Amino acid sequence: MKLQELVSQTAERIATYRDKVGDGPVGPTVDPDSLRAAFALGLSEQGTSSSDVIERLVAAAEPGLVATAGPRYFGFVVGGATPAAMCADLLTTGWDQPAFNAVTSPAAAVAEEVAGGWLKEILGLPGSASFGFVTGGQAANTVGLAAARNHVLARVGWDVESRGLPGAPAVRVLASAERHATIDRSLRLLGLGAGAVQEVPAGPDGAIDAAMLVRALDAAPAGPTIVCVQAGNVNTGACDDLALACQAAHEHGAWVHVDGAFGLWAAASPSTRHLTAGIEQADSWATDGHKWLNVPYDSGYVFCAHPGAHAASMSFTAAYLVGHGSGPVRAPSDFVPESSRRARGFATWAALAELGRGGVALLVERCCKLARRFAQGLGALDGVTIANQVVLNQVLVSFGDDERTDGVIAAIQRDGTCWMGGTTWRGRRLMRVSVSNCTTTEADVDMSIAAIERILATLA
Ligand SMILES: *Cc1c(COP(=O)(O)O)cnc(C)c1O
């Protein structure tokens, strides 16, 4: 089969899947054993024709897919993919460009240059900030904290990039009790250790207790210090007081890293921008493209107010590498932990070009509005209470005691009209609703609420 036909056949499969992704049950419909049977065809000696492989893959995988790309998946914060972003990602695969630098792909390097500038503009970050296109929030946190580690140790005369951490002055990390687990993993990977964290309590809404942060900074001995704050608590959507945290941290010579995997996008809309006031004063920022911006996986961004520290922590050079460093085109690889890597900038460029600044703002606003619609609709049902103030796209729902709530969540997942997950918040089991897909409509929310009402009636 000609490549042209194979690509058309594949495109057809994708389009068919996406057309119907909102029709069937949202959760998986098969058990792992039947998936194993479908995939474990036996590794053949001679291989199989490309066309057969694709048909077999579709047949094996589709029953085991979860409709996370569809309009009624409200688990975690998964986003979807805008049409242009998805197709740009297909082109990226077709072009197969290693986005190492402008020698391996001038187009990939320049697309990242432009898209990075657009992202800073939309998120209200300093125009002078450096940036890297990484795999996701985990990697963005790791790179941001690597730049922080470089900077706070350089200030006390320690070159961590050459000397490492043995014998280095201790680095203290002040972070909220409500920080995302990826912060701890980043600290482990960087050799700072999760134990470096001095935990600051969070308030009832899940945002860091700013007064306690100030007190912790005041009480701490001078020395290399990193403050980790968050935009968008994974349960409540609450954002830390970035302005206050930055002011207090900077008075103490500390670095401020913002984990805003989804919540940083609050800055893109006039209706939620107040939640991230002071954002531009931080030292590094992490966010995702594959969550709220609706770029396909894998897509995260790290930004840094200190390009020198950022590049010092990530760049490397070798004799055979050309076009490296301060050439006419920014070298993407100076700002990320990978060398050979996917040309991620194309999909982000496409999403931003397609949506425009206003479209990104609308996407954020619409998701928040739909989250409020969920809170209103579900809160009006008998025996249902909304457990958080819906400030962003996150809603926490209680159906009674823990056992009852878990039972209702399981029944909703079995029903398949929509998919929501469970969480434990302030010692209670709750259902967690995240609205982050660009295709979700009011009708999807209403259909989901109606399904939940029906389920509650059968369980009563
Ligand atoms: C999702 C998330 C992360 C991790 O991002 P990945 O893209 O999954 O690596 C980090 N922090 C917060 C607040 C998140 O919501």
Side-chain angles (χ1 to χ4, degrees):
M1 186 185 252
K2 285 217 179 80
L3 186 60
Q4 182 99 42
E5 285 168 47
L6 184 64
V7 172
S8 302
Q9 172 196 340
T10 306
E12 184 71 40
R13 291 302 191 182
I14 296 168
T16 305
Y17 176 76
R18 295 302 277 252
D19 274 351
K20 298 200 172 130
V21 71
D23 296 352
V26 178
T29 52
V30 286
D31 58 86
D33 276 341
S34 46
L35 279 172
R36 268 184 212 110
F39 276 104
L41 298 172
L43 188 59
S44 75
E45 195 58 41
Q46 302 87 356
T48 311
S49 81
S50 319
S51 170
D52 279 355
V53 169
I54 295 306
E55 287 309 310
R56 285 184 197 181
L57 177 58
V58 169
E62 284 198 348
L65 297 180
V66 171
T68 53
R72 287 187 309 285
Y73 187 87
F74 304 105
F76 310 97
V77 189
V78 298
T82 71
M86 185 190 75
C87 291
D89 214 43
L90 296 175
L91 281 171
T92 304
T93 300
W95 290 332
D96 197 23
Q97 294 286 280
F100 176 72
N101 62 16
V103 173
T104 60
S105 179
V110 172
E112 284 196 9
E113 211 177 81
V114 171
W118 286 350
L119 287 169
K120 286 188 283 182
E121 215 180 300
I122 285 177
L123 295 170
L125 303 181
S128 56
S130 51
F131 53 86
F133 284 65
V134 292
T135 50
Q138 172 78 71
N141 280 332
T142 306
V143 175
L145 291 171
R149 183 183 69 160
N150 172 282
H151 184 85
V152 298
L153 284 172
R155 282 183 52 154
V156 293
W158 188 270
D159 178 358
V160 71
E161 309 310 329
S162 75
R163 300 171 78 178
L165 285 171
V171 176
R172 202 155 23 101
V173 180
L174 297 180
S176 162
E178 279 296 322
R179 69 191 174 280
H180 195 266
T182 50
I183 293 292
D184 294 68
R185 182 153 62 180
S186 294
L187 295 172
R188 278 157 46 199
L189 291 170
L190 291 167
L192 295 169
V197 173
Q198 184 184 332
E199 220 167 69
V200 179
D205 62 349
I208 199 167
D209 183 329
M212 293 295 278
L213 172 63
V214 172
R215 202 177 307 170
L217 280 162
D218 286 342
T225 305
I226 300 168
V227 172
C228 282
V229 286
Q230 182 169 259
N233 177 284
V234 289
N235 284 304
T236 63
C239 297
D240 294 352
D241 185 337
L242 302 184
L244 210 148
C246 289
Q247 191 199 338
H250 288 160
E251 275 168 16
H252 291 82
W255 175 289
V256 179
H257 173 75
V258 184
D259 174 7
F262 68 95
L264 212 64
W265 293 95
S269 159
S271 62
T272 43
R273 192 166 292 149
H274 61 279
L275 296 172
T276 59
I279 186 176
E280 72 289 346
Q281 293 162 41
D283 298 284
S284 55
W285 304 263
T287 193
D288 270 318
H290 56 212
K291 286 182 179 173
W292 216 346
L293 186 59
N294 282 244
V295 169
Y297 292 97
D298 52 16
S299 179
Y301 319 113
V302 59
F303 305 89
C304 186
H306 310 269
H310 187 176
S313 68
M314 289 295 133
S315 67
F316 73 94
T317 192
Y320 63 89
L321 298 178
V322 285
H324 187 79
S326 55
V329 180
R330 172 185 176 276
S333 63
D334 281 353
F335 302 96
V336 297
E338 306 97 354
S339 47
S340 302
R341 51 191 277 277
R342 182 172 180 78
R344 297 190 186 96
F346 294 133
T348 295
W349 180 90
L352 296 177
E354 183 182 30
L355 294 168
R357 192 206 305 267
V360 177
L362 266 179
L363 170 61
V364 170
E365 269 165 52
R366 198 168 59 241
C367 290
C368 294
K369 201 170 152 209
L370 293 174
R372 292 193 298 272
R373 191 177 183 92
F374 257 123
Q376 243 166 23
L378 290 174
L381 301 179
D382 259 357
V384 181
T385 49
I386 303 304
N388 68 317
Q389 202 194 331
V390 182
V391 291
L392 209 59
N393 61 332
Q394 304 289 113
V395 188
L396 295 176
V397 188
S398 166
F399 296 101
D401 62 20
D402 288 0
E403 201 184 328
R404 163 87 176 167
T405 296
D406 276 334
V408 175
I409 296 169
I412 292 169
Q413 293 177 357
R414 272 196 309 275
D415 169 77
T417 304
C418 55
W419 200 99
M420 279 86 159
T423 186
T424 301
W425 174 247
R426 301 298 188 232
R428 288 163 78 197
R429 291 295 295 161
L430 297 169
M431 182 174 82
R432 178 170 170 246
V433 184
S434 303
V435 188
S436 61
N437 189 300
C438 61
T439 63
T440 304
T441 61
E442 288 185 352
D444 289 308
V445 172
D446 294 348
M447 194 197 292
S448 303
I449 295 170
I452 293 170
E453 186 172 17
R454 181 163 37 76
I455 289 160
L456 287 174
T458 63
L459 292 179

